[in-house]
Amino acid sequence: MSKSYYITTAIDYVNGQPHLGHAYEKLITDVISRARRSLGDDVFFLTGLDEHGQKVQQAAAAEGKGAQAYCDELAASWKALWVRLQLTNNDFIRTTDVRHKSVVQAILTKLHREGHFYPEEHQGFYSTRQETFLTDKDRLPDGSFDPIYGEVVELVEENYYFRLREHQQWLIDYIEANPEFIYPSYRRNEILGFLRSQPLEDLCITRPKARLEWGIPVPFDDKFVTYVWFDALVNYLTVPAALGDPVVSAALGVNFGSPQDGVGGGPSLWPADAHVIGKDIIKFHAVFWPIMLKAMGLPLPKQILVHGWWQKDGQKISKSTGNIVDPVAVIDEWGVDAFRFYVTRELDLGPDGNWTDAGFQARYASELANGLGNLVNRSLSMLKRYRNGVVPSRSDELAPEANRLIAETISNLRAYRLQSALQSIWSLVTRANQYVDQTAPFKLAKDPTQAARLDEVLYNLAETCRILAVLLWPFLPGTSGKIFAQLELKEDSSRMIGVEWGHLKHGHVIGEPAPLFPRKDQPKAESK
Ligand code: MSP
């Protein structure tokens, strides 16, 4: 079976409701997945939830719920939001899934057997309130610990450690030899700087059950559960393993696929093509994860795509201060495509971004309503009015520009330049709107001697609308479908291969035009 394009997101902690940051990451991954599918690739897109660990255990306890029941409730609301955002994920992993526990335990057993772990006692200062070990950096100038830590006790704790240090030089060499491994390049430089500047500390991969129960039991020592990050990173392998991916099944010596598949007879997913993550968790993905994979004998993912963080109104997004953007509220008011458009248009994959309601509304009004919406509506309305909706014979006036912008959009999409892809698409929107103003079809319609010219203009506009619908599908799937419906095209708008100029047939009859993005600028009182 040929290898699928396999792309993943970070799996979110389930200790609260999703906000803009979580939604953004899933959306850019969805746009990339849809774009690849549209270009003919077989894509597998995975997202899910990270449900173990102290944060979740504490959050459940605070609500007086059992951890599993708490996770089940929240998982339902996360999944529902992803459906509203029209994510096209192929699977949804929860780290409390039985399949995940089996894979984590198989990996722990293998790595332990092969000598990658060792037990060691650690002595340190432990805050029971925060359930964490403190270091000298946490001390106040007078040497005491801040009262936020509550009672601090000196404690000796035994745990298992994963030998990372012996792989450090290999990892540096790998990142140097594979410049595309971490994207964008400034994140790669950051990781190389970190790796070159200090010896890696071995990774503590267990937590004693005595202080944390909510985790995957360690198969070779029942006093421990698995450290939540070791557990979480493995999610990227769980689904391939569970489906019987040949590479993963062979390396781990396991097969969770259905018996009729035979050993490793499932789809070919590993190595992942891209892990999409935020800048705060790069060390886990670009340092710990590659070393874990190397120890397992598995190839590394091709790329780690590191996105920036959103703020709102220049401040950190924070539930406690109420500075949040609730994706559900935005979608309720403006529609899902407006949300999908703003976050991908406003922020490129890499730098940090800033949400402002005014910025959102400005883009809605100028780019969606007045730009795209107006173009499609007036183009199709004029075709309806002047030609009864019948497509005139082919004319290629805008073809060179449209074909150039199609090629540019595709190459931007392939290179993960989503913001630039939208800019390319909007160059075509702007060009076609100018074309309406320059050719003035409403004037041509008044002059019978200009009938042939009007035909040309109307063909160019309708064909541009068709192309725009196809290019927009990864970003604005609903709008794309509406444009096709208004054009009365029965096929799917999700195929970018062969989108080039000239598909709209002479004599085809279009459907009913309708506004795509209702203008929102009327004062509220008018609607009463
Ligand atoms: N559970 C871990 C990830 C494990 S992956 C094997 C985790 N969860 S998280 O819920 O805290 O964050 C999930 C993702 O959302 C991360 O990639 C994080 O960077 C991203 N974001 C969280 N807040 C964000 C913003 N304000 N802006 C953009 N992305 C943000 O970390």
Side-chain angles (χ1 to χ4, degrees):
M1 207 180 288
S2 69
K3 162 108 177 47
S4 300
Y5 176 89
Y6 177 36
I7 185 165
T8 67
T9 69
I11 50 172
D12 304 302
Y13 289 125
V14 74
N15 57 341
Q17 296 292 335
H19 65 53
L20 168 65
H22 307 118
Y24 169 70
E25 177 177 283
K26 303 336 174 243
L27 266 180
I28 55 177
T29 312
D30 186 59
V31 171
I32 296 168
S33 300
R34 285 173 180 267
R36 295 269 163 168
R37 289 194 192 103
S38 186
L39 289 164
D41 289 351
D42 184 27
V43 173
F44 196 98
F45 162 18
L46 178 66
T47 189
L49 289 172
D50 190 353
E51 303 191 355
H52 289 128
Q54 206 159 274
K55 287 188 192 181
V56 175
Q57 183 173 293
Q58 280 171 346
E63 290 195 14
K65 291 183 180 144
Q68 187 65 57
Y70 173 83
C71 290
D72 290 347
E73 265 174 41
L74 278 172
S77 73
W78 283 71
K79 275 186 175 177
L81 176 60
W82 294 165
V83 170
R84 284 205 74 190
L85 284 180
Q86 300 187 3
L87 301 188
T88 53
N89 52 302
N90 298 77
D91 203 329
F92 188 89
I93 175 111
R94 298 179 54 191
T95 54
T96 52
D97 288 348
V98 174
R99 57 183 178 167
H100 181 65
K101 182 176 157 191
S102 313
V103 176
V104 170
Q105 291 188 327
I107 291 170
L108 286 170
T109 304
K110 174 184 158 81
L111 296 186
H112 184 242
R113 195 177 54 226
E114 293 172 1
H116 291 281
F117 305 149
Y118 61 92
E120 193 170 79
E121 273 187 357
H122 175 76
Q123 184 168 10
F125 290 92
Y126 185 76
S127 149
T128 18
R129 181 182 298 166
Q130 304 264 343
E131 296 197 35
T132 184
F133 275 98
L134 303 174
T135 67
D136 283 337
K137 278 188 246 148
D138 301 308
R139 287 183 193 274
L140 296 173
D142 69 359
S144 67
F145 288 106
D146 195 292
I148 56 162
Y149 294 116
E151 189 194 2
V152 176
V153 285
E154 203 172 353
L155 198 96
V156 180
E157 192 174 282
E158 187 177 61
N159 272 302
Y160 285 86
Y161 290 80
F162 180 15
R163 298 175 209 281
L164 297 186
R165 203 163 300 170
E166 59 199 55
H167 304 287
Q168 184 160 2
Q169 192 54 47
W170 161 81
L171 184 57
I172 293 173
D173 294 344
Y174 184 87
I175 297 173
E176 283 176 346
N178 294 278
E180 75 296 342
F181 181 53
I182 304 169
Y183 174 97
S185 58
Y186 49 89
R187 297 289 174 209
R188 168 176 173 265
N189 295 338
E190 200 179 289
I191 286 292
L192 276 175
F194 164 78
L195 281 169
R196 287 185 189 127
S197 68
Q198 60 208 299
L200 274 179
E201 281 189 28
D202 288 343
L203 180 68
C204 179
I205 53 126
T206 56
R207 294 292 181 267
K209 271 187 191 160
R211 79 175 161 91
L212 176 69
E213 272 178 40
W214 187 235
I216 296 181
V218 170
F220 49 82
D221 193 330
D222 64 9
K223 295 190 297 300
F224 297 94
V225 296
T226 313
Y227 169 47
V228 67
W229 265 102
F230 189 98
D231 160 352
L233 288 162
V234 167
N235 93 83
Y236 304 131
L237 291 178
T238 295
V239 171
L243 295 173
D245 171 277
V247 174
V248 176
S249 305
L252 303 184
V254 291
N255 181 45
F256 300 92
S258 53
Q260 71 268 25
D261 288 342
V263 173
S268 175
L269 299 176
W270 197 262
D273 292 84
H275 291 318
V276 181
I277 58 158
K279 62 177 185 179
D280 57 320
I281 55 175
I282 182 167
K283 191 168 139 190
F284 297 95
H285 286 81
V287 178
F288 302 156
W289 182 228
I291 294 177
M292 284 166 67
L293 288 165
K294 176 171 181 264
M296 290 178 225
L298 277 165
L300 304 196
K302 293 206 188 95
Q303 269 190 315
I304 300 169
L305 304 180
V306 188
H307 65 76
W309 267 43
W310 282 91
Q311 294 192 325
K312 182 178 183 238
D313 300 328
Q315 306 287 321
K316 190 176 160 31
I317 291 180
S318 150
K319 229 188 299 174
S320 51
T321 61
N323 195 46
I324 55 155
V325 178
D326 174 7
V328 175
V330 178
I331 296 171
D332 282 345
E333 185 170 0
W334 299 88
V336 63
D337 277 7
F339 182 75
R340 292 178 64 110
F341 174 73
Y342 178 70
V343 295
T344 40
R345 176 63 187 80
E346 179 70 20
L347 185 56
D348 203 8
L349 203 168
D352 290 335
N354 185 32
W355 176 292
T356 62
D357 290 344
F360 177 92
Q361 288 167 26
R363 283 202 189 279
Y364 182 93
S366 69
E367 290 161 67
L368 292 180
N370 295 335
L372 176 66
N374 189 31
L375 173 70
V376 174
N377 197 244
R378 58 185 179 159
S379 300
L380 303 192
S381 299
M382 289 189 293
L383 183 55
K384 194 87 188 164
R385 194 174 324 129
Y386 305 139
R387 294 290 180 266
N388 280 322
V390 180
V391 175
S393 57
R394 175 168 167 171
S395 160
D396 292 348
E397 207 171 343
L398 291 179
E401 215 150 341
N403 285 339
R404 183 178 64 75
L405 289 168
I406 291 169
E408 198 179 283
T409 305
I410 291 176
S411 87
N412 280 326
L413 286 171
R414 285 201 185 280
Y416 305 118
R417 293 187 299 259
L418 308 185
Q419 188 188 47
S420 305
L422 280 175
Q423 283 163 338
S424 306
I425 298 172
W426 252 261
S427 307
L428 186 56
V429 172
T430 307
R431 174 71 185 97
N433 269 326
Q434 284 166 351
Y435 180 76
V436 178
D437 298 340
Q438 287 158 1
T439 58
F442 24 88
K443 285 190 194 148
L444 298 174
K446 289 186 188 134
D447 179 355
T449 66
Q450 294 288 343
R453 178 62 184 144
L454 181 59
D455 278 347
E456 285 173 6
V457 171
L458 293 174
Y459 183 91
N460 277 283
L461 289 174
E463 177 60 356
T464 300
C465 292
R466 184 193 66 82
I467 288 173
L468 284 171
V470 176
L471 296 180
L472 282 169
W473 182 77
F475 296 93
L476 312 180
T479 304
S480 164
K482 280 184 196 164
I483 299 174
F484 258 42
Q486 294 181 22
L487 282 166
E488 196 70 36
L489 291 172
K490 297 291 176 227
E491 68 265 31
D492 212 328
S493 59
S494 64
R495 286 282 160 268
M496 232 182 278
I497 302 171
V499 60
E500 286 74 15
W501 190 268
H503 284 271
L504 214 49
K505 294 279 170 289
H506 177 207
H508 172 78
V509 184
I510 66 161
E512 279 309 312
L516 294 169
F517 300 98
R519 288 207 173 74
K520 297 265 191 179
D521 42 10
Q522 291 92 347
K524 286 251 172 338
E526 273 184 29
S527 58
K528 277 188 189 159

